Amino acid sequence: MGFKKLINSKKTLSLLAAFVLLGTNQLMAQSVSTADSVSAADKSAMWTGVAYYVLLFLVASLCVAIFGKILKIYDITLKIQGKKGFNWNNIMGICCLVFLIVGLYGAYWSLTVQGSMSLPEAASVHGVAIDDMFTVTTVLTLIVFVITQILLFGFLFFYRGSDKRRAYFYPHNNTIEKIWTVVPAIVLTILVVFGFFTWQKVMDTTPAKGDLNIDITGHQFAWELRYPGKDGKLGSLDYTLTTPLNKLGVNFKDRNSFDDLSADTLVLPVNRSIRLNIHAQDVIHSVYMPHFRVQLNAVPGLPTFFKFVPTITTAEMRVRTDNPKFEYLLYCNKICGTAHYNMQRVVRVVTEAEYQDWIAHQKPYLTDQLKKELKFADTKSTTSGQLSSNRLALNN
Ligand SMILES: [Cu+2]
């Protein structure tokens, strides 16, 4: 009984609300204070912003409460004077109509303002398919949303309580039940099946001959890129081999590793299937390339990959966006630490010829220093089998 009283107590609820509000403020202040780049001015601006909206909400609630009380008192005064009081049914009906109009305008505003902040033009094959799926789902749900809201609030207004009308008791109708069960079931089934096939295409994992394998490794706070050399194959990785020089832990017992290249920019040949092998070395990061509709977590100890085909070169996109400085970007989409915002890489989509020219100028991952560290020159200490394979690959 005591507990029931406690949770029903208005004082306890008010205290809880105040605590949650303050707690949220505190939390936001803390998360901001951990980011070094945020200046004191930014912090105070954020605090002012939060306080402003909390205050605005409280003032609006107070105004509604005061207006309601004034109406109630006016109503009672009228009744005391023997006059007819307010018709509360009409007031509530009009409130519903106002709510419908304001709510629909709010939805329209949200679509036009927030909608314009949606993702940029898709620059990959599967990106277009995902966008189509998103558009179809949004349009269908939007139609249902508008119709049901108009019906709901329209009925509340047109059939508001009245002394001249009696409510019609309508307990059950099988036909209506069937319609509103079968129609959504069919529409949802179509959406789910359509989504299932799109998802299957997006997550296509079958290896193909022309796939360009690129390794991307996330660590606090940068992305490392590794391209295959002339053999078109990337050498295997083993985290136990990681050293300051062999940052990715490339296994040089694997001959495919010898001609691997490291790069600063993620350069992709247009219209070619890219297989991005995703690794992480410390915490969970996330490879995010919004233009290509690519996002996949980089999980330490759990290599993943994603295959996609870029369709629009950077040069074409510069013309389309009318922005000569346009660059595709790769971000980290997991808040992975204090300098998370630093994890950005330029992605450049080029023609096949430009790609071949670029790749020919990339530095080998196996630097001279690394060769020394791995004792590549020390012929006596290596076994004859490994030595010959090393020589073979290095002479390529
Ligand atoms: Cu990260």
Side-chain angles (χ1 to χ4, degrees), residues 102-127:
V102 172
L104 282 181
Y105 177 75
Y108 166 77
W109 176 84
S110 178
L111 270 178
T112 47
V113 175
Q114 264 87 40
S116 65
M117 290 184 226
S118 57
L119 288 170
E121 184 183 354
S124 63
V125 173
H126 78 276

Side-chain angles (χ1 to χ4, degrees), residues 79-97:
K79 277 178 186 159
I80 289 170
Q81 288 170 354
K83 292 176 191 166
K84 212 177 142 201
F86 283 133
N87 185 341
W88 286 99
N89 286 330
N90 280 350
I91 291 175
M92 294 308 281
I94 290 165
C95 280
C96 285
L97 207 61

